[in-house]
Amino acid sequence: MSERAAPFHCPYCGDEDLRPGEQGHGAWECAACSRAFQLKFLGLLAPGTFGNSTGGNEI
């Protein structure tokens, strides 16, 4: 099992002074703007669900 991934910056103010939150797994707190947020991995996209609808490469 890999370690928990850390965000590089706050999604609200862009500052990099982040600390793990006390609310549980994936929770982070920004010291610059005093906001708390949570990250959650939703899963992998199936092939062909993103991009062009034909599934081929455009020239």
Side-chain angles (χ1 to χ4, degrees), residues 25-51:
H25 183 71
W28 292 89
E29 298 173 354
C30 177
C33 68
S34 299
R35 288 188 169 110
F37 58 95
Q38 189 169 16
L39 301 177
K40 182 178 180 180
F41 177 72
L42 299 177
L44 298 173
L45 296 176
T49 60
F50 185 76

